[in-house]
Amino acid sequence: MSESSGATGRQEQERSRVTRQRLMEAAIGALSELGWAGATMTVIAERAGVSRGACQHHFPTRGDLVAAAVEYVGHQQMEELGRRAARLPVDGRRTESILNMLAGIYTQPLFAAAAQLWVAASADAELRAQLLPLEAKVGREVHRLTVTLLGVDDREPETRELVQATLDLIRGLGLANLMRDDSARRKKILHRWALTLEDALRSRRGRD
């Protein structure tokens, strides 16, 4: 292979990567704003600035596209959380800061898009089959991050249930935020839960 042909190949790969990225980001935006019914391949392609044919070249079906988009944006989000976690306080405000940081996951366009997908998947077996493994993977990553940030050992059933209850609460608050800005109420609830969680974890440590 000549040097020029190698350079051409790399340029094509880069264009393909950029196109896929634009399509995935456009899919998340369309889903969060228009829902599953409105986020058609045509709409997503238009938002990404590519033809429908180019869209289907990269992602043959809408299910393929949205599954890839959720995984891609979710991965970016987890990396950002890792960077933010390094800046969390280590004083008495740490638990509440962790909860507020995690709540940010569920107030972003990705969560709004995921909520639309859950509803659609409940009546679409093919879409459900694509999303269930991805949902499980994301759930494990968020759970693992939470355990690490709280500095607990979730091999003990009660501790694991406390972590899961925390994430279930935060996810529920994210759903409430889909209808209206619920930030003021969410802040109060997370403050109260942080105190409750600290007491429960402290009690667990005292029994060990």
Side-chain angles (χ1 to χ4, degrees), residues 65-103:
L65 172 52
V66 297
V70 170
E71 184 170 20
Y72 165 73
V73 177
H75 178 70
Q76 284 192 320
Q77 196 170 62
M78 292 302 296
E79 288 187 337
E80 174 61 21
L81 283 175
R83 290 189 289 270
R84 291 176 59 191
R87 302 193 296 270
L88 285 170
V90 294
D91 57 17
R93 298 178 296 112
R94 181 174 176 81
T95 299
E96 186 172 352
S97 296
I98 290 170
L99 299 189
N100 280 300
M101 187 187 77
L102 292 171

Side-chain angles (χ1 to χ4, degrees), residues 30-78:
L31 281 166
S32 63
E33 296 169 23
L34 305 174
W36 176 250
T40 63
M41 291 286 267
T42 298
V43 167
I44 293 170
E46 288 176 352
R47 284 182 169 226
V50 303
S51 68
R52 180 184 171 90
C55 180
Q56 290 183 305
H57 169 73
H58 290 282
F59 301 101
T61 70
R62 183 166 57 151
D64 293 332
L65 172 52
V66 297
V70 170
E71 184 170 20
Y72 165 73
V73 177
H75 178 70
Q76 284 192 320
Q77 196 170 62
M78 292 302 296

